[in-house]
Amino acid sequence: MAFTYPYWRESISCELKGSNEDDYSNLIAKIPGPKGSPYEDGIFNLDISFGTQYPFQPPTFKFITPIYHPNIDNSGKICLDLLRMPPCGSYNPAITLESILLSIQLLLASPNPDDPLNSEAADLYKANKETFNIKVRQCISKSSTIPEQKNINDGPAAKRAK
């Protein structure tokens, strides 16, 4: 099963992780880099895990595709208030998966270097944005997936119906 959220240059898409069509606890998302940002030429894969406490606890998001960003560490963890419980964060059970994925995409366009997980990237972003942008593009050229269009009708459930 796959579904897409059209936004900016390409669509954000999600599909089931693994072959069990009844297990929605683990997804893979593909997020295109925002147009006009140094990430615009990349498509970034994220692992999404919904724990047993979901929706009362936020899902876990982790970049699979290596990325150079002030708010994403080398292991792919993301620093975003929306992914943390209050009082330190702003997650609540009414927030949709679509909203979170769009917020992650917006984070790519607008890093917050004052709350970094990758201090080297944050320092470079503050000191020399052009050099930062060059380093981002180099990382993308080495590791980003090739853009592909996913259609909601391309998933395993659609194949069974054909």
Side-chain angles (χ1 to χ4, degrees):
M1 174 178 178
F3 50 96
T4 60
Y5 300 118
Y7 191 66
W8 290 1
R9 177 176 63 87
E10 304 268 339
S11 296
I12 294 173
S13 66
C14 289
E15 55 190 46
L16 295 177
K17 182 178 180 181
S19 59
N20 185 349
E21 294 177 21
D22 296 324
D23 182 7
Y24 290 88
S25 63
N26 293 292
L27 302 174
I28 298 291
K30 292 184 186 297
I31 297 181
K35 188 175 181 179
S37 79
Y39 301 94
E40 73 179 324
D41 291 330
I43 302 288
F44 303 92
N45 294 325
L46 283 87
D47 184 66
I48 306 170
S49 297
F50 297 89
T52 58
Q53 297 296 314
Y54 180 78
F56 304 106
Q57 295 285 325
T60 302
F61 291 79
K62 185 176 179 182
F63 274 82
I64 300 167
T65 307
I67 186 168
Y68 187 74
H69 190 283
N71 307 109
I72 303 165
D73 71 12
N74 292 333
S75 70
K77 292 180 187 171
I78 306 165
C79 180
L80 184 64
D81 284 347
L82 202 57
L83 303 178
R84 295 186 292 208
M85 292 294 294
C88 297
S90 60
Y91 177 79
N92 75 62
I95 296 172
T96 65
L97 176 59
E98 178 181 16
S99 296
I100 295 172
L101 291 170
L102 290 172
S103 295
I104 292 170
Q105 188 180 46
L106 286 170
L107 182 66
L108 295 180
S110 302
N112 179 4
D114 296 323
D115 189 18
L117 279 181
N118 182 336
S119 58
E120 176 199 332
D123 291 344
L124 186 56
Y125 182 84
K126 288 179 185 179
N128 189 331
K129 202 178 241 184
E130 187 54 39
T131 303
F132 170 84
N133 290 345
I134 290 167
K135 191 157 186 174
V136 166
R137 289 185 188 104
Q138 288 171 343
C139 183
I140 288 171
S141 69
K142 290 179 189 174
S143 61
S144 182
T145 59
I146 296 170
E148 61 183 62
Q149 280 291 14
K150 280 281 192 189
N151 186 310
I152 193 166
N153 298 317
D154 289 343
K159 290 177 185 170
R160 274 197 329 263
K162 290 181 180 177

